Every structure is written in structure tokens, then in C-alpha cells.
Amino acid sequence: MGRGAAAAAGRMALKRRVGIIFGGKSGEHEVSLQSAKSVYEALDREKYEPLLIGVDKAGVWHLGADASFILNVSNPKLIALNASAPAVVPVEAPGSALSLKDPESGLVRQSVDVFFPLMHGTFGEDGSLQGLLRLLNAPFVGASVLGSSVGMDKDVMKRLLREAGLPVPEFRVVRSPGDDLAAAVRDLGLPLFVKPCNLGSSVGITKVKRLEEVAPAVERALRFDRKAILEQGIAGREIEVAVLGNEEPRASVCGEIVPRHEFYSYEAKYIDEDGALLKIPAEIPAWQSDKIRDLAVAAFRALECEGMGRVDFFLKPDGGALVNEINTLPGFTRISMYPKLWEASGLPYPKLLDRLIELALERHAREGALLRSAEF
Ligand SMILES: Nc1ncnc2c1ncn2[C@@H]1O[C@H](COP(=O)(O)OP(=O)(O)O)[C@@H](O)[C@H]1O
Ligand SMILES: [Mg+2]
């Protein structure tokens, strides 16, 4: 190696290689591509060497060469992965880094220092991907297996929040359309919301105003999941808070979502460009915002989250706030709520990425130091 090449290698070694994993089999594939593109562009090239690892809709991992890996980037409806990029499989490598290998030849294509999962919804946000990365001993951004899976299951999530003394809407869980729905309606009143327990993006959710609409809504939700949750309908504003940290999580300023539809439905989120308005910061009194921010941190802790999480609330006209849910892998484009909340709190997008990567490495080091068996 010549002197120039050695110097270049030295420089490279200081940079962390960040594997952005995105796409995936969930209904949020396209949104994920947009999140990945934003992170790829914003990562500081002085510190990082970003890699694009796109998972196609069949679940195959592909390694992109550069930003051209994501096709039709400016069109949210046509955005897609270039599937001709080589397929890779992740394998454990000596040390803590992980390698991406060609599944055919077995040749190493790249090593990765830290992963940035940006795969929303099923498999990416529910602990599955996190479990794979843990097995391979790779550091990764965001909640680990437990926080991810708990955050994904609206039933378990709400039981844990309630157990921690945090306010949540009244709810009932049903596993079959034959369950006693009338009793649930009697307890919860109308309107109520029926949702699959493990999904996102408002898919499979129905706002029910009349008794006879409950059974069809439950049947619909049970097509997406084995559990459906029925929740008391809360008339209130939708307030969201971004939380960041591991042992000492911090909350951003509050933001407000103002849906222009009956509720913040799939259409309002992704189809209708003017489906919802984001107000940052939310126009609420300081005492209320302080209370909601404290609740957000408490929810983050109660749900065993790490790294990041967006906690969503209903703010009732009487001033009471109820936790609706946590999103452990919230939308992450530059114009998404989570990064915008941090920007409004004094942490610009590239610095937020730095912090998340630091938190991932800290957690990995901490877990690596734990004893795995009895010591004599
Ligand atoms: N209990 C409820 N009361 C009032 N509105 C609700 C309730 N549950 C859900 N919604 C509406 O439906 C949207 C999606 O529900 P949510 O539980 O956040 O599911 P998802 O995980 O799909 O985002 C919310 O943003 C809100 O507009
Ligand atoms: Mg939601």
C-alpha cells in the first residue's frame, strides 16, 4: 500500500459505516424509503460512511451503491427500490462489526459498524429485525426487542401504561367476532375505535358510531391481527412529543396534528397531501405542555424504550391528557414530526442522527459488558 492509500485507509477507519436498513414487507414500505433517503443524505460524511440496505417486498436484502438505489425519489407514489442491486445477507463478523455477504459466493461485500433501522411497521418496528441484529451482535439505533414489540402491541402497551399509572383511554380486547361486543359497547360508549392490535398507519382502524357497526369493524380488524382492541372515542386534540435517550430520556417540545378528515386515517396520513396539518410547537399553555412532556418520558420508560420514540396523546377540552400510543420507529423524513420536533427544540437533523448513533453504540457497549453466565 502506498503512503497515499494508507492515509486514505486511516481516514476511512475513523469513519463509522452506518447501515441504513429500510423498505421491508410492511404496508409502510414506501414511507420507509423516504425516511431512508433523508437519513442517507443528512449523515455527516466527515464522520460516517452511510450504506443503503434496502429490503424488498419479498424480504430480500439488497445493498445499494448510492442514492440512485432509490428510484423516483421525488414521487411518493412511485418511489421504489432498484431490485437489480446485489442481494446480501447479514452475518456475524469477528469483533463487533457485522458483514454483509453475497449469498451466492459468500464473499464479504461490506462490513457495518452500526445499523440504523428505518423499516416501519411489521418486522421492522415490532422487534423482529431488532432480534436479528441482536443475534448478530450488531449495534443498532432505537428500541431493542422488548421495547419494540411492546410498543407495537396496542393491548400490551396500554396495559403497561395503565399499570404505570399513566392515563389511557378505556379499552377492551377481543379475539373473536363472537366475543361479547355488546358488553364492551356498554362499558366504553359510542363512538369507539376498533383497531387491529399489531399494525400501524391507521390500517384496519374503524371509527364506530352505531352499535350495528361494531361487529363488522371487529371482523375487519381481525383480518389483520388475531387481537382487536376497542377503545373509547376521545374527543380531543392530537399532541405528539419526541423522546430521545437511553437511561436519561429527554422530551422535545409538543407538536399538534390537525387531521382534516374524520380522524387521522390512512388517507389523511398518506393519500391526501393536505390530509393533516403539523403545528410545531403546539399552541398550548406552558403548564400543559410541561405535563405532557413529563408523561411522554414516563411512557417511554414504562414501555422499556431506548434511543427514540414518539409518544402521541389526546388532549381533552377539560385539559386532561391521555396517552394514545408510542411509535418506536416514527416517520423520519426531514419533514416528519419526530425530527421536526427536535429541530424546534434546538437539535438539527444531522445532530439528531449523531445522537441516535451514539446512543446505539452506548447501549451495545453496556450490553456487551453484562455477564452471560454464572461466574465462580
Ligand atoms: N380512542 C380514540 N379516540 C379518538 N381518536 C382515536 C382513538 N384511537 C385512534 N384514534 C384516531 O385514529 C388515529 C390512528 O390511531 P392509532 O391508535 O394512533 O393507530 P396507528 O398506530 O395506526 O397510528 C389516531 O391518530 C386518531 O386520529
Ligand atoms: Mg398513531
Side-chain angles (χ1 to χ4, degrees):
M1 197 186 284
R3 216 190 266 168
R11 258 199 323 274
M12 293 299 283
L14 296 175
K15 289 192 191 182
R16 290 195 196 283
R17 210 173 269 150
V18 181
I20 305 168
I21 310 182
F22 61 102
K25 296 195 217 176
S26 87
E28 289 155 292
H29 182 93
E30 285 75 16
V31 187
S32 166
L33 267 50
Q34 293 183 43
S35 294
K37 175 187 168 268
S38 292
V39 170
Y40 181 78
E41 285 173 354
L43 278 170
D44 183 348
R45 298 300 196 270
E46 294 285 311
K47 298 185 199 154
Y48 308 110
E49 196 190 330
L51 287 182
L52 287 168
I53 305 160
V55 181
D56 67 24
K57 289 183 175 176
V60 178
W61 294 32
H62 299 269
L63 181 61
D66 52 45
S68 68
F69 179 39
I70 306 178
L71 307 170
N72 308 318
V73 275
S74 50
N75 186 334
K77 292 195 181 95
L78 294 179
I79 193 167
L81 283 181
N82 184 346
S84 62
V88 285
V89 288
V91 288
E92 191 168 4
S96 69
L98 185 142
S99 291
L100 294 167
K101 276 191 174 182
D102 189 317
E104 310 256 301
S105 65
L107 289 177
V108 172
R109 285 194 173 268
Q110 277 302 359
S111 65
V112 180
D113 298 313
V114 55
F115 281 91
F116 203 129
L118 279 169
M119 228 162 85
H120 311 295
T122 317
F123 303 122
E125 192 169 348
D126 63 8
S128 307
L129 176 61
Q130 290 74 13
L132 174 70
L133 295 173
R134 279 204 77 200
L135 275 175
L136 295 169
N137 191 28
F140 59 93
V141 168
S144 192
V145 174
L146 182 61
S148 300
S149 49
V150 157
M152 192 72 181
D153 187 304
K154 294 185 191 306
D155 164 34
V156 177
M157 168 172 64
K158 287 189 160 93
R159 281 194 267 148
L160 282 183
L161 291 171
R162 196 171 56 189
E163 196 263 350
L166 301 171
V168 293
E170 277 291 311
F171 65 94
R172 298 286 180 274
V173 171
V174 297
R175 290 168 190 266
S176 144
D179 288 358
D180 191 352
L181 301 180
V185 176
R186 219 172 26 246
D187 295 345
L188 302 173
L190 291 169
L192 56 79
F193 280 77
V194 180
K195 319 175 185 180
C197 279
N198 287 274
L199 218 67
S201 292
S202 300
V203 174
I205 299 188
T206 314
K207 179 174 182 178
V208 171
K209 296 178 180 168
R210 294 183 314 175
L211 184 61
E212 61 272 26
E213 295 165 359
V214 179
V218 167
E219 271 171 37
R220 180 169 148 73
L222 288 175
R223 285 212 297 271
F224 293 98
D225 192 12
R226 69 194 172 86
K227 283 194 299 190
I229 184 165
L230 281 64
E231 289 178 25
Q232 186 178 46
I234 307 298
R237 294 161 69 184
E238 296 195 52
I239 305 292
E240 305 191 342
V241 180
V243 181
L244 175 68
N246 288 341
E247 284 90 350
E248 299 293 334
R250 291 194 303 128
S252 71
V253 298
C254 296
E256 179 172 11
I257 296 275
V258 186
R260 297 225 176 86
H261 291 237
E262 174 83 25
F263 66 97
Y264 198 26
S265 60
Y266 184 84
E267 286 69 28
K269 285 179 182 173
Y270 304 121
I271 310 281
D272 178 359
E273 268 180 28
D274 303 312
L277 201 83
L278 270 62
K279 280 196 195 166
I280 302 170
E283 291 162 19
I284 51 176
W287 67 267
Q288 223 161 33
S289 134
D290 288 348
K291 195 178 90 182
I292 293 176
R293 295 171 68 210
D294 286 349
L295 284 174
V297 169
F300 186 90
R301 287 185 192 277
L303 298 172
E304 301 286 350
C305 283
E306 283 176 309
M308 65 171 152
R310 197 193 70 223
V311 185
D312 299 350
F313 294 85
F314 298 122
L315 179 60
K316 296 188 290 182
D318 69 5
L322 301 175
V323 184
N324 172 33
E325 64 164 344
I326 194 162
N327 289 283
T328 54
L329 236 164
F332 218 91
T333 69
R334 269 182 182 270
I335 57 159
S336 300
M337 190 58 122
Y338 186 90
K340 285 190 79 164
L341 285 172
W342 279 116
E343 215 149 276
S345 311
L347 192 62
Y349 195 79
K351 293 262 179 275
L352 171 63
L353 300 179
D354 283 351
R355 185 68 192 129
L356 284 168
I357 290 169
E358 264 170 39
L359 290 166
L361 295 168
E362 269 173 41
R363 190 226 348 247
H364 188 257
R366 189 188 72 216
E367 287 187 349
L370 292 175
L371 297 179
R372 296 284 173 206
S373 57
E375 269 200 346
F376 298 102

